[in-house]
């Protein structure tokens, strides 16, 4: 998990923005769901995919974080969208493909 935040340079004491790593090597699971809908005029079906992250409940993942997941040898970057649904043994976070920091 990474965030874009203000960081002070220890030498110059100038403040700038930088990508900062919050967590690494956290066990997680991705769930993909395809949603299909048709148009009222009978046009082609629209297909959308939603991605949900399942991860430990004690991790505080701020809005706008970049979430990088490596699964089955493939690495994908996501942005967090929406508030997490936190349960006793996990939290669920809806994700979208990462394009840039807001």
């Amino acid at each position: 998990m990474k965030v874009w935040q203000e960081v002070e340079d220890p030498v110059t004491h100038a403040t700038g923005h930088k990508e900062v790593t919050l967590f690494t090597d956290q066990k997680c699971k991705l769930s993909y769901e395809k949603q299909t809908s048709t148009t009222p005029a009978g046009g082609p079906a629209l297909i959308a995919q939603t991605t949900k992250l399942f991860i430990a409940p004690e991790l505080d993942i701020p809005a706008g974080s970049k979430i990088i997941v490596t699964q089955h040898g493939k690495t994908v970057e996501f942005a967090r969208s929406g508030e997490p649904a936190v349960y006793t043994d996990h939290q669920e976070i809806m994700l979208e493909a990462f394009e840039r920091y807001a």
Side-chain angles (χ1 to χ4, degrees), residues 45-102:
L46 302 173
I47 299 174
Q49 177 175 286
T50 57
T51 306
K52 187 184 297 185
L53 175 73
F54 293 81
I55 196 160
E58 64 272 7
L59 300 177
D60 183 20
I61 303 171
S65 297
K66 180 192 287 186
I67 298 172
I68 304 165
V69 178
T70 300
Q71 183 174 323
H72 307 298
K74 183 179 179 185
T75 300
V76 184
E77 294 183 353
F78 295 99
R80 172 186 166 183
S81 61
E83 291 299 313
V86 181
Y87 301 97
T88 312
D89 60 347
H90 73 285
Q91 63 179 307
E92 299 175 10
I93 302 171
M94 299 303 294
L95 302 175
E96 59 186 47
F98 182 82
E99 294 178 23
R100 63 179 173 81
Y101 285 106

Side-chain angles (χ1 to χ4, degrees), residues 31-53:
S31 172
Y32 298 96
E33 181 179 316
K34 288 189 180 177
Q35 300 168 344
T36 306
S37 64
T38 57
T39 61
L46 302 173
I47 299 174
Q49 177 175 286
T50 57
T51 306
K52 187 184 297 185
L53 175 73

